[in-house]
């Protein structure tokens, strides 16, 4: 069928992902190829010292994103979206959304970006003998308990952003196993919350006398391929305010952006990995076995079908680059030069390739927010140089591109060097890789490993969650997720690969040594400016 026929027949599948700066919708056809898109730009807010998005912003963003998709479909295909083959919801992982018995949110949504949970994360890591990151949902819950927050006693349901939207659209309090593994660790055998850790947590909080235990308030866990409910009448009105979309559409389990990144890069089988680099960055390597011990920079999460994954998550990636490109945009406008942002990014990124392999001594710390991996509770973006460094535009841009993935290298060095984790293919996706060949080359130098990027790299997680929705409704052979992706989506396509050069690897290593030494400057800046 043509794209128009696919839409009119109700066979198109919709994926929506809530990223940190953009909500994106992707409509795919029966060959799993994107045929239409919509988007909505948004920003988190710092309210009372915590990063948040209001529920009003969440729903306005979803509705505006869907309206943009609908408008684009009308313009391109002269048809309305009335029924769909399936829908999937994805969002930034972790964080804290707690609701009372009237389905009212008890405190503003606390995103993954918050670092106020250090005490809770440390105590839980010790209790579980397992690395529990600051941003995980269980850390937020326990920190609220430690801080004697009044609302905790009234919790009836706690979930992630993806789980919240899915619940409101379908009535189902469920979560995909990948997103669930960012609430509390998941057992890869049972593919649900680790029973021993759940029991330990319940025993820990028992003296507090709450009316609930953990499984009373956490969503039920589902794996990829399971039906996760259907669009309700109320949900259809919440999603499409024009009133054209009909109820009854099946949903896949809601997933986090890590899981959708794995699907979008065909990295769900063992010995594959991917790096997502946008507002934040994270790498995911699917493990053949568990690590020998817990490591603070490494989270253990799962693929959408429940396999163990080593995740290195960095709170900061391209936000500081974007700020500097915005400055160059202002300069062009001041000169009266027309600005094409795609061209501006492309020229600046390619200029970085002319820089010295070690950036001429320049350093970039991209810490818009705190960075737990390097022990920073708050962020101070800065460029550091000495009088004798080679301060050129090429080195300036290269330093920013290196700085965006510097922290990512810390955790991956543990995996690849100390743990000897084997990986056959690492695929990059996200805004960092949009300019062909540049971010790819930088990451290859950082990890000293070939990096692949597919033509679909820019489609990102919205396409990934659409694929997971397609896997629910279009899998007559009952293939496992890795097989289904291989055969039905990627058909052997592994993208274009760039291998690291010796000069680039040596240069990045010298940059990192300078970067580690200069972290004292960043720590001092955080301490000095309160």
């Amino acid at each position: 069928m043509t794209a128009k026929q696919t839409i009119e027949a109700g066979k198109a599948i919709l994926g929506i992902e809530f990223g940190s700066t953009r909500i994106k919708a992707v409509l795919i056809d029966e060959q799993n190829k994107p045929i239409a898109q919509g988007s909505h730009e948004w920003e988190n807010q710092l309210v009372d010292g915590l990063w948040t998005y209001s529920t009003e912003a969440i729903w306005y963003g979803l509705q505006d994103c869907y309206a943009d998709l609908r408008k684009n479909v009308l313009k391109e295909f002269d048809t309305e979206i009335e029924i769909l083959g399936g829908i999937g919801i994805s969002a930034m992982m972790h964080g804290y959304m707690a609701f009372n018995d009237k389905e009212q949110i008890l405190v503003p949504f606390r995103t993954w970006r918050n670092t106020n949970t250090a005490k809770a994360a440390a105590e839980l890591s010790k209790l579980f003998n397992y690395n529990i990151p600051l941003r995980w949902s269980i850390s937020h819950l326990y920190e609220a308990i430690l801080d004697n927050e009044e609302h905790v006693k009234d919790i009836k349901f706690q979930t992630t952003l993806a789980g919240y939207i899915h619940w409101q659209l379908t009535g189902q309090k469920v979560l995909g196993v990948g997103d669930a593994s960012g609430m509390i660790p998941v057992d890869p055998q049972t593919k649900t919350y680790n029973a021993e850790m759940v029991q330990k947590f319940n025993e820990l909080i028992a003296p507090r006398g709450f009316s609930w235990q953990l499984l009373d308030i956490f969503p039920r866990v589902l794996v990829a391929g399971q039906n996760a409910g259907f669009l309700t009448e109320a949900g259809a009105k919440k999603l499409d305010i024009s009133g054209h979309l009909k109820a009854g559409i099946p949903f896949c389990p809601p997933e986090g952006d890590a899981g959708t990144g794995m699907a979008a890069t065909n990295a769900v089988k063992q010995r594959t990995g991917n790096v997502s680099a946008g507002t934040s960055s994270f790498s995911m390597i699917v493990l053949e076995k568990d690590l020998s011990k817990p490591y603070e920079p490494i989270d253990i999460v799962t693929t959408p079908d429940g396999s163990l994954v080593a995740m290195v998550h960095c709170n900061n990636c391209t936000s500081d680059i974007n700020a500097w490109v915005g400055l160059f945009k202002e300069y062009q406008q001041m000169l009266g030069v027309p600005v094409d942002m795609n061209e501006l990014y492309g020229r600046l990124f390619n200029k970085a390739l002319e820089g010295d392999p070690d950036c001429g001594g320049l350093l970039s710390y991209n810490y818009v927010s705190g960075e737990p991996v390097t022990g920073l509770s708050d962020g101070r973006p800065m460029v550091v140089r000495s009088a004798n460094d080679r301060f050129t535009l090429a080195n300036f841009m290269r330093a920013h591109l290196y700085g965006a993935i510097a922290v990512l290298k810390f955790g991956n060095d543990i995996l690849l060097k100390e743990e000897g984790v084997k990986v056959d293919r690492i695929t990059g996706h996200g805004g960092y890789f949009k300019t062909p060949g540049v971010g790819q080359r930088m990451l290859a130098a950082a990890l000293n490993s070939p990096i692949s990027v597919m033509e679909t790299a820019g489609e990102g997680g919205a396409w990934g969650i659409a694929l997971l929705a397609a896997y629910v409704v279009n899998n007559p052979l009952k293939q496992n997720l890795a097989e289904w992706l291989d055969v039905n989506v990627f058909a052997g396509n592994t993208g274009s690969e760039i291998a690291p050069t010796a000069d680039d690897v040596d240069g990045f290593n010298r940059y990192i040594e300078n970067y580690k030494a200069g972290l004292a400057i960043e720590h001092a800046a955080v301490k000095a400016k309160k």
Side-chain angles (χ1 to χ4, degrees), residues 95-279:
Y96 184 71
M97 299 192 83
F99 301 87
N100 64 17
D101 56 0
K102 295 179 179 152
E103 298 188 1
Q104 298 166 325
I105 195 163
L106 289 165
V107 290
F109 168 36
R110 296 171 182 177
T111 79
W112 57 269
R113 199 169 199 171
N114 290 296
T115 55
N116 64 308
T117 56
K119 185 177 180 183
E123 288 190 18
L124 292 174
S125 295
K126 185 176 180 181
L127 177 69
F128 298 154
N129 190 31
Y130 203 95
N131 179 43
I132 304 297
L134 274 64
R135 66 186 181 282
W136 277 18
S137 302
I138 195 72
S139 296
H140 284 277
L141 174 61
Y142 189 48
E143 188 65 43
I145 293 171
L146 290 177
D147 294 343
N148 296 309
E149 293 195 39
E150 181 68 21
H151 77 271
V152 175
K153 68 178 181 355
D154 299 320
I155 298 175
K156 293 297 180 185
F157 182 48
Q158 183 192 338
T159 190
T160 65
L161 179 56
Y164 165 61
I165 297 157
H166 180 96
W167 166 43
Q168 293 295 300
L169 297 181
T170 68
Q172 299 297 310
K173 295 179 177 179
V174 299
L175 206 56
V177 65
D179 207 4
S181 68
M183 293 194 74
I184 192 171
V186 160
D187 183 334
Q189 302 305 315
T190 63
K191 305 202 185 300
T192 189
Y193 307 116
N194 184 295
E196 182 183 347
M197 295 184 194
V198 168
Q199 183 179 347
K200 284 183 176 181
F201 185 82
N202 286 334
E203 290 170 355
L204 177 68
I205 66 168
R208 305 266 180 170
F210 299 126
S211 62
W212 52 263
Q213 291 193 323
L214 203 58
L215 295 188
D216 298 332
I217 64 171
F218 269 20
R220 183 165 53 92
V221 181
L222 300 175
V223 297
Q226 289 184 279
N227 176 275
F230 298 87
L231 184 66
T232 62
E233 293 282 354
K237 291 173 183 174
K238 274 196 159 186
L239 179 57
D240 178 17
I241 57 175
S242 76
H244 287 89
L245 192 64
K246 293 180 171 60
I249 300 166
F251 274 68
C252 68
E255 266 298 351
D257 47 3
T260 58
M262 286 185 269
T265 55
N266 196 21
V268 299
K269 67 175 68 170
Q270 291 179 354
R271 294 174 66 115
T272 63
N274 78 89
V275 170
S276 174
T279 304

Side-chain angles (χ1 to χ4, degrees), residues 72 96 185 249 279 337 341 355 381 463 497:
N72 292 337
Y96 184 71
I249 300 166
T279 304
V337 179
M341 290 306 289
W463 182 54
E497 184 178 273

Side-chain angles (χ1 to χ4, degrees), residues 379-442:
R380 301 287 180 267
M382 67 171 83
V383 176
V384 177
R385 66 188 180 99
S386 66
N388 296 324
D389 290 340
R390 284 176 38 80
F391 190 47
T392 65
L393 179 60
N395 282 337
F396 181 80
M397 288 307 302
R398 193 173 184 117
H400 279 294
L401 288 168
Y402 275 12
I405 54 173
V407 180
L408 202 63
K409 179 177 172 60
F410 287 23
N412 279 280
D413 278 353
I414 294 171
L415 290 173
L416 302 177
K417 295 178 181 177
E418 294 184 34
E419 284 284 332
V421 169
K422 302 298 182 189
V423 58
D424 298 327
R425 174 172 53 85
I426 298 176
T427 305
H429 69 116
Y432 185 82
F433 301 103
K434 266 193 173 181
T435 302
V438 181
Q440 199 175 351
R441 180 172 156 185
M442 303 300 168

Side-chain angles (χ1 to χ4, degrees), residues 467-483:
L467 294 179
L468 292 174
Y471 178 60
V472 172
V473 297
N474 294 330
N475 185 22
L477 300 179
K478 302 301 179 188
Q479 295 164 306
N480 66 43
L481 181 58
E483 291 172 339

Side-chain angles (χ1 to χ4, degrees), residues 500-515:
T501 68
D503 281 350
D504 280 352
V505 172
D506 179 64
F508 201 101
N509 286 338
R510 280 184 279 134
Y511 177 90
I512 281 294
E513 290 309 307
N514 290 335
Y515 185 97

